[in-house]
Amino acid sequence: DAGVIQSPRHEVTEMGQEVTLRCKPISGHDYLFWYRQTMMRGLELLIYFNNNVPIDDSGMPEDRFSAKMPNASFSTLKIQPSEPRDSAVYFCASSYRGGGGQFFGPGTRLTVL
Amino acid sequence: AQSVTQPDIHITVSEGASLELRCNYSYGATPYLFWYVQSPGQGLQLLLKYFSGDTLVQGIKGFEAEFKRSQSSFNLRKPSVHWSDAAEYFCAVGASQAGNMLTFGGGTRLMVKP
């Protein structure tokens, strides 16, 4: 199994630009999660999906953030427009309702200049 | 609301010494408990999990954890630490085996002295 795949691994962009982060969950998993990790705030859950449907997006910081899951094997997290305070590591994780916990991808390190 | 407290932000141990990382949780129902490890520049890797049954659970890399309901604790242990164990460790509590809606502790950074 390839595990959770995220791309890009690193992204450097300028303030005001649109950023799209991508995630491919583990095949067969029906939950997908997006997290943000910073030194100041630790690990924060942004949004999670069950069977491609967004269940809880209360962690999405503001309207500049949006997430989609068009099918069971792909999800995106978009920031438009990006701001320097969005700089963080963004993780995608997936899990299966039958158990086992969440499995994390390697993360995308985003730097907004 | 559920919460997780990891009282130790940093811990330093000598290589070969034993290790215990503390985790206390607050949860109104039967908790599903997890320990994750994060090496620098990496994602979180699941070390072990507790759902039910035997309160002492074994995980990968020689780690184990003990669930103590009376103390609301789920401490992580390893009898002999290796230099490669230096990383950040996160305890988490969730509402289901799938681990959806996990609440993470703030993490404990482990440093290993040669």
Side-chain angles (χ1 to χ4, degrees):
Chain A
D1 196 327
V4 176
I5 298 172
Q6 291 187 247
S7 65
R9 293 293 311 277
H10 301 273
E11 177 81 33
V12 180
T13 190
E14 293 189 344
M15 182 174 62
Q17 297 299 304
E18 177 179 295
V19 175
T20 299
L21 311 182
R22 297 172 175 79
C23 175
K24 176 178 169 57
I26 293 172
S27 177
H29 282 192
D30 46 4
Y31 286 91
L32 184 138
F33 309 82
W34 283 102
Y35 290 89
R36 178 172 67 177
Q37 186 180 40
T38 61
M39 290 291 292
M40 292 296 294
R41 300 173 68 92
L43 198 61
E44 303 173 276
L45 176 66
L46 300 178
I47 185 172
Y48 83 94
F49 297 82
N50 180 215
N51 292 322
N52 313 337
V53 176
I55 303 300
D56 188 336
D57 66 353
S58 59
M60 296 285 262
E62 43 196 280
D63 292 344
R64 299 185 297 105
F65 286 69
S66 63
K68 294 182 179 179
M69 192 165 186
N71 57 63
S73 59
F74 183 67
S75 177
T76 60
L77 177 68
K78 186 175 294 187
I79 308 172
Q80 166 63 15
S82 58
E83 297 182 3
R85 60 193 168 123
D86 302 330
S87 297
V89 181
Y90 291 81
F91 289 105
C92 176
S94 69
S95 69
Y96 171 60
R97 69 182 182 278
Q102 294 182 20
F103 293 83
F104 282 73
T108 295
R109 181 173 295 278
L110 173 65
T111 302
V112 183
L113 303 175
Chain B
Q2 56 202 51
S3 66
V4 178
T5 302
Q6 293 180 246
D8 305 305
I9 298 174
H10 293 101
I11 282 185
T12 300
V13 300
S14 297
E15 190 168 18
S18 63
L19 171 70
E20 182 169 27
L21 302 182
R22 296 183 291 164
C23 172
N24 294 98
Y25 69 90
S26 173
Y27 190 67
T30 301
Y32 295 88
L33 296 159
F34 307 83
W35 272 101
Y36 286 85
V37 60
Q38 184 179 27
S39 298
Q42 303 295 314
L44 279 70
Q45 181 183 20
L46 182 63
L47 278 177
L48 49 79
K49 54 189 181 289
Y50 172 78
F51 295 157
S52 64
D54 192 347
T55 56
L56 185 64
V57 293
Q58 302 297 321
I60 62 172
K61 304 185 179 187
F63 285 91
E64 65 179 27
E66 186 171 13
F67 171 59
K68 293 185 177 180
R69 183 184 298 275
S70 61
Q71 299 177 20
S72 297
S73 69
F74 188 57
N75 294 349
L76 182 71
R77 301 194 295 248
K78 186 169 185 178
S80 178
V81 170
H82 187 263
W83 63 266
S84 60
D85 294 323
E88 188 147 22
Y89 292 79
F90 293 91
C91 181
V93 63
S96 75
Q97 295 185 30
N100 57 307
M101 292 303 290
L102 282 181
T103 298
F104 285 87
T108 297
R109 183 167 296 279
L110 173 65
M111 290 173 280
V112 180
K113 293 189 299 185

